[in-house]
Amino acid sequence: MKQLVILFGILLSSPQFASAQQQQDKTPVDYVNPYIGNISHMLVPTYPTIHLPNSMLRVYPERENFTGNEIYGLPVVVTSHRGSSAFNISPFQGNEASLKPVISYGYDNEIIKPYYYQSDLDDYGITVKYAPSHQSAIYSIDFSKPDNPYLIINSRNGQIEVNGNTVSGYQNLDNNTRVYVYMETDVNPVTTGILTEGKINVSTASAEGKNAAAALKYAAGTKQVKVRYGISFISIDQAKANLKREITTYDVDAVANKGRQVWNETLGKIKVEGTSDTDKIVFYTSLYRTYERMICISEDGRYYSAFDDKIHDDEGTPFYTDDWIWDTFRATHPLRIIIEPKKESDMINSYLRMAEQMDNHWMPTFPEVTGDSRRMNSNHGVAIVADAYAKGLRNFDLEKAYTYCKAGITEKTLAPWSGKKAGVLDEFYKKEGYFPALPAGAPDPVPEVHSWEKRQPVAVTLGTVYDEWCLGKIAGYLGKKNDEKYFLDRSLNYRKVFNPDTKFFHPKDAEGKFIEPFDYRYSSGIGAREAYDENNGYVYRWDVIHNVNDLVQLIGGKQDFVDGLEDMYNTPLGKGRPDFYHQFGDHTGNVGQFSMGNEPSMHIPYLYNYAGQPWRTQKRVRNLIKQWFRNDLMGIPGDEDGGGLTSFVVFSHLGFYPITPGLPMYVIGSPFFSKASITLGNGKTFEIICKNYAPENKYIQSAKLNGVQWNKSWFSHEDLMKGGTLEFVMGKQPNKSWATDEKAIPPSFKMP
C-alpha cells in the first residue's frame, strides 16, 4: 500500500500529470492571448483590445505596435476599430513644469487580458491597473514617490471641465458626432484647474479646443488614486448614468472578475478538447476577436445615430454599429447566426434603422459610430440579410431589407469608396452586365471614381453579381417572381469577364475587348485596383462563391479546377518581396500567389471539395492555419479587421466553413480537436467528435452524422441546428475515396 501511495505521489508530481491538471483548470478566457498579431506583416497590426463582448467601450495601449518603446498616456475609449483613443489620462509624479496634455511613458511588466490591463510606467515609478465594463471602466494608479501625484485628463479636440474630484467633457468626432465622458476619483485633489502652457491655471475650470486638458493635483505622499468613468454618445449626464449603472465600487479586481465571467460565458458557447494547448490558444483568441465588433451603443434604451444626427428610443432592440461588412460578411456574421442569433438579428435591425435614417435609404456598407463611410467595393449588407433569412432568422422586416438593399445596389454608384449616386458606369453595368475597365494607366474621366481606389472593375463585377444573387434570393422569399428572375439571371454575369482562353477573370473595356497585354500577377497598378482590389488575378479567379460548380465547368472540369488551384499555390511571387509588396501591401500570407492575409482568399482552400478531392482541402486548411495563424506576435498574416480573418480560423478549427453566405450549408474541412461542443442559439448542442484524434491526424477517413454514415463533404444548416453529432475518424494519411462522388459535392446556385 505504501508503494502505491509513493507511486501515486510520483504521478501527481510528474510534468505530464501537472500539465493535464493545468489544462483541466483553465477556462476558455485563459487561452486568449491578445498579443497574437501585434506585429504586422505589412500594414496595420492587430491591437490587444481590452473590452467586453460587442461593447461600446474598448481600449488598447496607444503605441505603433508591440515593438513601440512608449505608450502615449492611458486610453479612455476607442470609438472606431483601429482608431485612437478619445480622451486620455496621464498620471504623473515629478516637476510640475514637465506637465503636458499627453505624457509618453516607457513601460514594463505589461499584462493584457480581454478584461484586464496592468503595466508599470517605470520612468515615473507608477503602476496602473484597469478593468472595463460595457460603457464604463476603472483605473487604479499607484504612485511610488513622495512627491505630489497628478492626473491630466485630455480631451484631444473638444471640451473639458473639472469640479473637485470629477472631470467631464466631450470630444468632437466626424459628422457632428461627439463622445462624452464623466470621471470621478476616490481621492479629493488639493488643486484643480486647466493645464495652460505647462502650468495649472486654477482660475478656470473648463477649456475647449485642441488638447484642452484638466489637471488634478493630489497631496504629497498619496500612494494611490482610483479613477472610474462612464462614456456616452448622448450626453455627459448619460455618461454619468452609465457609470452609476455599471460600476458602484472602486475595486478594480471586482470589475475585472465580473468581466472575466462575462468572457467565459461568451467564449464557453464553444467548448473544445484536445492535447494541443497551442490550438486552443489560437482558437479562443480568434473567437475573442470576432466579438470586437459590432458594438452596442444603446444607453438605457436610447442611442445616438450619426446617420441622421438624432437621439432615438431603441424600442427594446439594441442598436449596433461599427462594421466593415466587406471583411465580415463571409464568416463573422455567419458565425454569429450559429451561436448568437439574437445578437445577429439585432445587428441586422440596426442596419435597417441606419438605412431608414439616411436620406437616400441605401443599405450601409461600412457603418461606424460616425455614420456610413462607404469604403471598399460592393454592397454586401444584402449578404447578411440573405444568409440570416435562409438560416431561419425572422426577427427583422424582410420587405424593408429588400428595399434598402436593392436601393444600395441599383441607385448608388458601384464605384468603390464612393457614396455618390449612380452614373454612367452604372448605366453601362446595368445594360452590359459588367463594370468596364480602362487601359493601364489611363486617366479616369468619371467623377464617381475615387482617384486612388480606381474602378476595380473585375472585383466590382464579381462582388455585385453575388449581391444580385442575394437580392434574387430575397425577392424569391417575398414572392417577387419577376425581380427574383431578373437578379438571378444577372448573377450569372461573372461569365462576361471570364476569359475562355486563359480561364481567368479578366478586365474588359467598354468595347467588349479584354485589356491586353495583361499579367494576372502584376498588371493593374498598386493593389491591382485598375482591375481587382488588394489581391491579384490569381485570387479573384475563384471569387464566384454563389456558383462554384459553374466555375468548375468554366475552368474546364474537376481536374483542371484542381490543377488551377495547385498552380496558384505553386506559382512564385516572381519578384523580390520589396517590389511585390510595394504593389500588393494587402496581399500577404503568401503561399505562391495565394494570400492568406486577405478576406477574398478565405474560401479558396475549401474549393477542392467541389472537384471531388476533399482530402486536398483537409491538407491545405491545416497547413495554412499552422503556417499563418500562430501563437506569436506575428501570428496573424494580414489586417484582421475585427473578426474578418479570425472567423475563418474559428470555423476551420471546428472543421467546416460557410463558403456561400445565403446558401444554408457548410463545407467540411479538417477538425483540429478531439471534441468540440457548440451551444447553438436555439439551446441545442452540436458536437464534432474525432476518433483516432492526434494533432497531426488531419485527414478524414470516414464520417457519421447522428450515427448514420456520411459520405458528403458538406452538411446543411438544418442538420447543424437540430443538434446532434458529426463524428469523424481521422488518420495521418489521406483517404482519397471519401466524399468524392457527384452526390458528395456541395450544392451551388440553381435557377428556380
Side-chain angles (χ1 to χ4, degrees):
M1 180 70 179
K2 186 176 181 181
Q3 286 179 323
L4 285 174
V5 172
I6 292 171
L7 285 170
F8 186 61
I10 293 171
L11 175 64
L12 285 174
S13 62
S14 71
Q16 293 86 354
F17 185 89
S19 176
Q21 185 65 37
Q22 189 178 30
Q23 287 190 34
Q24 188 177 11
D25 293 342
K26 280 188 174 182
T27 61
V29 76
D30 295 323
Y31 289 103
V32 174
N33 177 9
Y35 288 109
I36 290 177
N38 284 191
I39 299 176
S40 171
H41 289 248
M42 278 297 294
L43 300 177
V44 182
T46 302
Y47 296 111
T49 311
I50 303 110
H51 67 114
L52 299 188
N54 301 109
S55 289
M56 189 163 84
L57 194 147
R58 302 166 289 180
V59 300
Y60 38 72
E62 285 210 63
R63 55 191 176 220
E64 183 179 358
N65 59 36
F66 182 80
T67 65
N69 292 319
E70 295 181 325
I71 57 175
Y72 310 115
L74 302 176
V76 173
V77 56
V78 174
T79 58
S80 175
H81 172 68
R82 302 199 318 213
S84 297
S85 173
F87 308 106
N88 190 282
I89 301 174
S90 292
F92 178 80
Q93 264 192 306
N95 186 344
E96 187 170 306
S98 299
L99 290 175
K100 295 184 293 185
V102 179
I103 297 173
S104 298
Y105 303 101
Y107 61 97
D108 199 8
N109 301 318
E110 186 178 71
I111 298 171
I112 298 184
K113 305 288 185 183
Y115 53 87
Y116 180 76
Y117 177 78
Q118 180 177 327
S119 185
D120 291 339
L121 310 181
D122 48 12
D123 293 343
Y124 297 93
I126 297 171
T127 296
V128 298
K129 298 178 181 178
Y130 174 83
S133 187
H134 297 282
Q135 297 172 352
S136 59
I138 182 169
Y139 275 105
S140 174
I141 304 168
D142 291 345
F143 299 92
S144 64
K145 298 178 181 180
D147 307 329
N148 293 92
Y150 298 82
L151 291 182
I152 306 301
I153 318 299
N154 180 26
S155 72
R156 294 201 179 225
N157 177 28
Q159 186 266 349
I160 204 82
E161 182 174 342
V162 58
N163 182 14
N165 72 326
T166 68
V167 176
S168 59
Y170 62 80
Q171 181 176 324
N172 294 309
L173 306 175
D174 292 336
N175 294 338
N176 298 319
T177 306
R178 286 178 173 175
V179 56
Y180 299 87
V181 69
Y182 171 85
M183 294 182 179
E184 53 191 29
T185 66
D186 66 330
V187 178
N188 288 320
V190 294
T191 303
T192 64
I194 296 301
L195 188 65
T196 306
E197 297 180 353
K199 297 180 181 179
I200 302 176
N201 184 353
V202 298
S203 65
T204 182
S206 65
E208 190 169 355
K210 186 176 181 180
N211 282 327
L216 294 82
K217 180 180 180 180
Y218 295 88
T222 300
K223 295 295 185 183
Q224 186 182 74
V225 176
K226 294 179 179 178
V227 185
R228 61 189 183 189
Y229 65 89
I231 54 115
S232 171
F233 291 107
I234 295 174
S235 67
I236 290 171
D237 287 343
Q238 186 61 55
K240 182 178 180 179
N242 294 343
L243 170 63
K244 300 299 184 183
R245 173 173 21 88
E246 293 185 348
I247 298 180
T248 58
T249 178
Y250 279 104
D251 186 340
V252 174
D253 290 338
V255 177
N257 286 333
K258 188 174 181 181
R260 175 182 167 83
Q261 292 172 12
V262 171
W263 271 114
N264 272 324
E265 290 170 6
T266 300
L267 299 176
K269 294 176 189 294
I270 306 179
K271 292 184 170 64
V272 297
E273 299 175 18
T275 59
S276 171
D277 251 17
T278 297
D279 287 344
K280 293 176 185 175
I281 290 168
V282 172
F283 174 80
Y284 279 117
T285 303
S286 298
L287 185 57
Y288 139 81
R289 289 286 177 197
T290 69
Y291 280 93
E292 186 183 339
R293 299 186 304 163
M294 303 171 72
I295 59 166
C296 176
I297 64 169
S298 279
E299 309 174 46
D300 288 331
R302 298 185 302 156
Y303 66 94
Y304 167 78
S305 172
F307 299 87
D308 63 358
D309 193 23
K310 293 179 181 178
I311 296 169
H312 298 265
D313 188 329
D314 71 13
E315 299 176 350
T317 301
F319 184 79
Y320 289 82
T321 188
D322 197 20
D323 189 20
W324 299 356
I325 196 70
W326 188 88
D327 304 284
T328 58
F329 84 93
R330 297 172 187 269
T332 316
H333 283 273
L335 177 64
R336 223 165 6 234
I337 288 172
I338 296 171
I339 58 176
E340 300 274 11
K342 169 63 166 59
K343 196 172 279 189
E344 180 66 14
S345 293
D346 290 343
M347 291 178 184
I348 292 173
N349 276 306
S350 298
Y351 264 87
L352 302 187
R353 286 172 169 176
M354 297 172 203
E356 191 168 39
Q357 290 161 9
M358 290 189 290
D359 290 339
N360 49 42
H361 302 313
W362 297 339
M363 192 70 156
T365 58
F366 262 54
E368 300 182 86
V369 166
T370 53
D372 189 17
S373 57
R374 294 289 176 196
R375 295 188 236 181
M376 300 303 290
N377 60 56
S378 305
N379 295 271
H380 295 317
V382 67
I384 66 172
V385 173
D387 196 40
Y389 198 85
K391 292 173 180 174
L393 272 59
R394 296 292 184 270
N395 296 329
F396 57 89
D397 189 324
L398 190 65
E399 184 75 50
K400 276 187 179 180
Y402 179 73
T403 300
Y404 300 149
C405 290
K406 182 180 178 182
I409 293 167
T410 62
E411 296 176 10
K412 184 185 73 66
T413 182
L414 298 174
W417 291 69
S418 177
K420 296 179 180 178
K421 292 182 178 180
V424 293
L425 293 179
D426 306 282
E427 284 299 315
F428 184 94
Y429 177 82
K430 183 178 180 181
K431 181 180 177 182
E432 302 295 338
Y434 69 94
F435 217 56
L438 290 172
D444 201 317
V446 178
E448 293 86 51
V449 176
H450 192 287
S451 61
W452 172 257
E453 294 297 334
K454 310 297 184 183
R455 293 189 180 188
Q456 305 176 16
V458 175
V460 166
T461 300
L462 297 179
T464 304
V465 296
Y466 167 68
D467 291 342
E468 289 174 319
W469 176 79
C470 292
L471 268 182
K473 297 287 288 183
I474 298 171
Y477 299 139
L478 292 169
K480 300 177 186 291
K481 296 301 181 182
N482 291 338
D483 278 12
E484 178 186 23
K485 185 178 187 312
Y486 173 76
F487 286 116
L488 292 183
D489 283 343
R490 292 189 63 82
S491 77
L492 300 175
N493 280 336
Y494 54 85
R495 297 170 179 171
K496 295 195 174 184
V497 290
F498 185 80
N499 188 327
D501 295 328
T502 63
K503 311 295 186 184
F504 278 78
F505 290 105
H506 194 131
K508 180 184 285 188
D509 66 20
E511 305 300 319
K513 297 176 182 177
F514 289 118
I515 300 294
E516 297 288 359
F518 197 84
D519 186 320
Y520 295 113
R521 288 183 293 181
Y522 313 131
S523 292
S524 62
I526 297 294
R529 291 177 174 90
E530 293 174 17
Y532 309 104
D533 182 27
E534 298 189 349
N535 305 272
N536 66 19
Y538 274 85
V539 168
Y540 277 94
R541 189 182 190 185
W542 316 102
D543 198 26
V544 186
I545 57 176
H546 61 295
N547 204 355
V548 180
N549 288 329
D550 187 45
L551 183 61
V552 172
Q553 299 308 311
L554 285 175
I555 288 177
K558 293 178 182 177
Q559 192 54 54
D560 284 350
F561 189 79
V562 169
D563 291 345
L565 287 166
E566 292 297 289
D567 178 65
M568 172 189 58
Y569 291 112
N570 293 332
T571 300
L573 296 186
K575 287 183 178 181
R577 289 180 180 271
D579 289 336
F580 186 87
Y581 291 124
H582 171 72
Q583 183 177 1
F584 297 109
D586 296 273
H587 193 103
T588 52
N590 291 94
V591 181
Q593 295 298 313
F594 174 81
S595 166
M596 192 67 260
N598 209 254
E599 285 82 4
S601 295
M602 296 195 308
H603 70 290
I604 294 175
Y606 287 88
L607 293 180
Y608 294 103
N609 289 12
Y610 292 80
Q613 297 191 37
W615 69 273
R616 290 186 184 271
T617 281
Q618 295 154 32
K619 175 183 177 181
R620 187 64 68 183
V621 170
R622 282 292 194 102
N623 289 348
L624 288 168
I625 295 285
K626 294 295 185 184
Q627 289 162 355
W628 292 113
F629 294 96
R630 308 179 307 270
N631 179 26
D632 64 53
L633 287 164
M634 296 186 74
I636 294 179
D639 290 353
E640 200 283 319
D641 292 330
L645 289 179
T646 49
S647 51
F648 164 84
V649 181
V650 173
F651 273 117
S652 294
H653 270 89
L654 294 174
F656 58 95
Y657 184 76
I659 278 191
T660 311
L663 198 59
M665 65 90 190
Y666 305 94
V667 176
I668 292 172
S670 175
F672 277 63
F673 300 107
S674 61
K675 182 180 179 181
S677 299
I678 306 171
T679 300
L680 306 170
N682 59 13
K684 297 180 181 179
T685 301
F686 188 80
E687 294 184 338
I688 299 104
I689 295 174
C690 292
K691 294 190 173 181
N692 195 31
Y693 160 82
E696 66 272 16
N697 287 359
K698 58 173 155 292
Y699 292 108
I700 297 170
Q701 308 299 302
S702 62
K704 290 182 180 178
L705 181 61
N706 295 325
V708 178
Q709 286 293 330
W710 191 256
N711 197 39
K712 298 177 181 179
S713 61
W714 65 282
F715 60 93
S716 72
H717 182 73
E718 183 181 8
D719 292 328
L720 175 73
M721 297 308 290
K722 286 178 181 176
T725 303
L726 181 58
E727 182 182 294
F728 296 105
V729 176
M730 305 300 292
K732 195 172 183 180
Q733 308 300 328
N735 177 0
K736 296 182 181 180
S737 64
W738 180 76
T740 58
D741 63 30
E742 200 62 38
K743 294 180 181 178
I745 290 173
S748 279
F749 158 66
K750 292 180 180 178
M751 291 294 286

